[in-house]
Amino acid sequence: MATIAMPTPGDKATFRTCPVTALKVDLAAERLIIANAVAAVVFLLIGGLFALLLALTRWQAIHLLPPDWFYRILTGHGFDMLVAWMVFFEVAGLYFGGAVMLNARLVLPKVAWGAFILMAAGAVLVNVIVLLGKADVMFTAYVPLKAHPLFYLGIIFFAVGALIAVILFFATLVTAKREKTYEGSMPLVTYGLVAAAIIAVYTLLSGALAFVPTFFWSMGWIDNVDPGYYRNLFWSFGHPAQQINLAAMVAIWYALAAITVGAVPLNEKLSRSAFILYILFINLGSAHHLLVDPGPGFLWKATNTSYAMYLAVLGSLIHAFSIPGAVEVAQRRKGFTNGLLEWLRKAPWREPGFSALVISMTLFGWIGGVTGVTIGTEQINMTAHNTMRLPGHFHATVVSGTTLAFMGLTYYLIPLIFRKELKLKKWASWQPYVFGFGMLLVSVGMIASGLQGVSRRHWDITFAGAPFKAAVPSTAQLMLGIMGIGAIIAIVGGIMYLTVVLVSVFTGKRQEAHRLTLVMEQKNPLVEDAIAVVGVEVDEAVAPKGTFVIVLAFLMFFVIYYFSNWWLLGRSWMIR
Amino acid sequence: MLAPERIWWKPLHRMEKSWLIVAFSWCVLLTIMMPLWFFYGRQNVPATTFRTTPQKYQQQTTAFIEQYQVDTLNRLPVVAPPPDSDIYLLARQWQWTPVLQLEKGKTYRLHLSSTDVQHGFSLQPVNLNLQVLPGYDYVATITPTQSGEFSIVCNEFCSIGHHLMVGKIIVTE
Ligand code: HEM
Ligand SMILES: [Cu+2]
Ligand SMILES: [Cu+2]
């Protein structure tokens, strides 16, 4: 039932009108979204295979890979997951939020294809060089460990491609505004993506400052790169890059809440201010990685690590209330007003977008957020730096949180953008639970072994062949085993996701979407539930009381974990 | 999800306001914990750093070993420096030299640097971790509060032999 909309004067783009959302979809943008999303999924597949090998090596009872391959695969896993999977998906997201959601055309689609090819070429180059054993340096590539020049060049290609995509996103926004393709203010989801894109610009520029001199150095054109400054520049790229993931994920949370239960942000002012807090303060977070480095003093470290005054954390705490709050109000408006939590019990738990939202938020906040703030505390970092607590923290944030949110959103893009019927719906319903449960075990296993001193990026905790042994408690071994079991479960969840996506894309019936939801009764909560309440004040019957109790419980947990870490530090040797 | 009306600048709901206040207070508390610990805590991140070079640091360590060596262990020198002195630990692929023998409750100025790539100083099972960079002489004033044998695991990836890099600190009563 696609209709080709009349192009507005002056643009040559071809549009179709989405029958479900009534959005005008630029076909060029649509093809680019598909290409970037497919590339993302391919790297997720490779990185996921690597993940399994790593986890089965660190699980000491299995100890699968030899050391050189462990370090090699670890380098590939870090790059493919954190850089390739995330950024390709985000570029797809930017084109979606910039063009599709605003009924606008994507400017310069040819250039966008150029950016795509540059990114793909860079990512392939990095993988080839790493697998050839020419870059056993981890994705952080701390100087003076040296990799083959093509490794740095691959990263630079990728970053330049991503920067071009971000610039095209901004150009698309400006064009949309000028061509008046939408009314009122920009939607919150796009607004969140703008925040992500602004962060991306200065992130990618720092990346260039770190990698271009390093590339010159690997070519022998300059003598040395200072390891201390390199770390600062690298993390001015690597840390804010995580905040791009964060801002994109939060934007997707708002989208999933809207799609599945028709939630409208309770207060646009509050949610938007929270994004502003991200833009302003999050770049200071690069200090998290330098807290126990020689060089900077207490004042620099404490100010930067706390984002001035934990103001970026405040941004997250705001979303932590406003998203579940919006879900609760939407549910209460449907009549689920009994007690504190009826709205949650009667929620659409079989709808993958909803379960992905809840699991993503829970693991991100309760595990990722709490451990992140704690280990990012200047003094406490001495008990955490480079231990397994680090990968434990970010497998809760960027994996259980962001990756799961991206997965949840993909199920909706298949009918809407790929225009294919979603196959294996039962699998899709179960997938967020399987992946989430596996990742819960992975992150908890990592954190608990790290608390007992186990190092990250380390091949052998039995220290066979080393001059001395460090006694690793048997409980730490047990925790690594739990991590390994969790990894297998999470990989099963990952395979379920890839299967649903690939089977739908390749064998699904080509059809126009006719509903927004996938397994719920309701066809389109966005229209059925949301429209009526825009601008309506929240009255007492529907006030988010349940959410208020949940966030207070969260804060209690946070307080207990945080102070027990100070207690742990207090038992250590004296150091100044 | 959909574009909202132009004016979204509305007052906050009572619960949002309460949460905002609670959350902000927590952020303030998180912030003041660090300076509080800085002034009253016994474990603070060392901040003393000097520029150095691999050659210079190597010489200082060699002189230090010659002066205070008391034994050899697994072909590594064991040194027993007096309290309140400058003690040197050198990191290189894939070894920590020398083995340090310290006294419980006494204070030492521990210098850390590398002569090749980056390494990580991870004192186990105390679980104290510091980054070690070539070209930077990082000085930590430490006081062991337990006696026994402690390992120094390298916890920054330093190429293929990374997991073999384990050193030792012995603390006597
Ligand atoms: C099934 C899912 C996954 C499992 C089981 C898994 C497991 C692991 C393991 C065992 C390590 C090595 C930890 C160490 O020894 O230091 C690791 C490292 C890492 N993982 Fe994952 N991972 C998964 C998914 C992801 C995803 C989706 C991302 C990013 C979006 C990611 C990002 C990273 C990064 C950045 C590192 C650190 C690399 C480094 O230290 O250089 N992982 N992962
Ligand atoms: Cu080392
Ligand atoms: Cu090492």
Side-chain angles (χ1 to χ4, degrees), chain B residues 91-94 96 118-120 154-158 162 165:
Chain B
R92 64 166 170 249
Q93 286 169 327
W94 295 285
W96 297 99
Q118 307 197 10
H119 298 275
C154 177
N155 72 358
E156 183 57 80
F157 175 70
C158 53
H162 166 53
M165 186 163 163

Side-chain angles (χ1 to χ4, degrees), chain A residues 367-574:
Chain A
I367 302 188
V370 168
T371 60
V373 169
T374 306
I375 61 185
T377 304
E378 200 231 11
Q379 295 96 337
I380 292 176
N381 189 256
M382 282 192 292
T383 66
H385 179 69
N386 276 354
T387 68
M388 284 297 270
R389 289 173 82 179
L390 269 290
H393 153 70
F394 61 68
H395 282 80
T397 53
V398 77
V399 189
S400 319
T402 316
T403 299
L404 189 52
F406 287 5
M407 287 172 165
L409 184 71
T410 320
Y411 296 130
Y412 299 84
L413 294 182
I414 289 175
L416 294 176
I417 294 288
F418 287 72
R419 282 182 278 160
K420 290 289 178 82
E421 163 198 21
L422 188 79
K423 300 279 247 184
L424 300 170
K425 290 206 174 117
K426 271 240 164 60
W427 286 42
S429 285
W430 277 99
Q431 189 270 337
Y433 296 99
V434 177
F435 186 77
F437 179 65
M439 283 324 294
L440 174 70
L441 297 186
V442 170
S443 14
V444 170
M446 284 175 165
I447 292 167
S449 61
L451 272 165
Q452 301 171 73
V454 175
S455 303
R456 69 184 290 195
R457 299 175 162 180
H458 198 282
W459 179 69
D460 185 17
I461 54 166
T462 65
F463 304 97
F468 305 107
K469 304 265 174 288
V472 175
S474 58
T475 41
Q477 306 248 16
L478 177 70
M479 290 304 149
L480 289 172
I482 289 180
M483 175 201 78
I485 293 169
I488 294 173
I489 300 173
I491 294 283
V492 170
I495 293 173
M496 288 167 78
Y497 165 76
L498 292 166
T499 313
V500 174
V501 171
L502 296 176
V503 169
S504 309
V505 169
F506 290 110
T507 72
K509 242 197 351 272
R510 179 145 188 112
Q511 62 179 34
E512 288 304 319
H514 49 89
R515 52 188 297 157
L516 197 55
T517 55
L518 299 172
V519 299
M520 284 162 69
E521 299 276 304
Q522 258 184 319
K523 282 191 165 173
N524 187 347
L526 206 55
V527 177
E528 290 150 24
D529 300 332
I531 296 293
V533 299
V534 171
V536 175
E537 297 305 319
V538 175
D539 58 49
E540 277 321 295
V542 301
K545 311 178 198 64
T547 302
F548 197 72
V549 173
I550 293 173
V551 290
L552 286 182
F554 164 72
L555 192 65
M556 286 305 293
F557 174 76
F558 198 162
V559 171
I560 293 169
Y561 186 82
Y562 178 75
F563 282 107
S564 45
N565 270 277
W566 281 114
W567 173 78
L568 264 182
L569 176 67
R571 303 188 331 153
S572 188
W573 288 12
M574 288 195 263

